[in-house]
Amino acid sequence: MIHIENKTYHEIADRLRDEIGESDYYSGNIFHSTSAYDATLSSTLIIYRTTHTAPDRTFTTIADVVPVWWSCSTVTDEGEKLNDFDFGKVRKLIIE
């Protein structure tokens, strides 16, 4: 079993946040490589936003990320391996 480390969660969340951008919907793949394995997060997500108004502009932030579907696969030199990926950790990092 592959243990997904906090550093990997942070890097995947950063990439996912960048790919989501200003959208309210996301469907795609995030690839991440470590020295021990390659990981692919495939997901379809609904993005909920909060609108903020400042004196000089209006902007939105991500209020919640709701997965319609997700899967995280990990592959080593020996082939595909099970992992302990937790989408809730990525979700929490995105909405912080």
Side-chain angles (χ1 to χ4, degrees), residues 6-58:
N6 284 336
K7 179 181 177 184
T8 298
Y9 283 111
H10 281 272
E11 290 172 2
I12 288 173
D14 288 345
R15 296 233 4 252
L16 186 55
R17 190 180 306 106
D18 288 345
E19 289 202 20
I20 290 169
E22 296 299 317
S23 179
D24 294 328
Y25 175 82
Y26 173 82
S27 184
N29 300 305
I30 302 291
F31 302 100
H32 180 73
S33 291
T34 71
S35 60
Y37 61 87
D38 294 328
T40 303
L41 172 63
S42 301
S43 60
T44 299
L45 312 170
I46 297 172
I47 313 301
Y48 290 93
R49 297 185 173 274
T50 300
T51 301
H52 304 276
T53 303
D56 58 339
R57 67 185 176 114
T58 299

Side-chain angles (χ1 to χ4, degrees), residues 51-78:
T51 301
H52 304 276
T53 303
D56 58 339
R57 67 185 176 114
T58 299
F59 62 97
T60 65
T61 57
I62 296 175
D64 202 0
V65 176
V66 178
V68 174
W69 176 85
W70 69 268
S71 173
C72 182
S73 63
T74 44
V75 178
T76 68
D77 292 339
E78 299 172 357

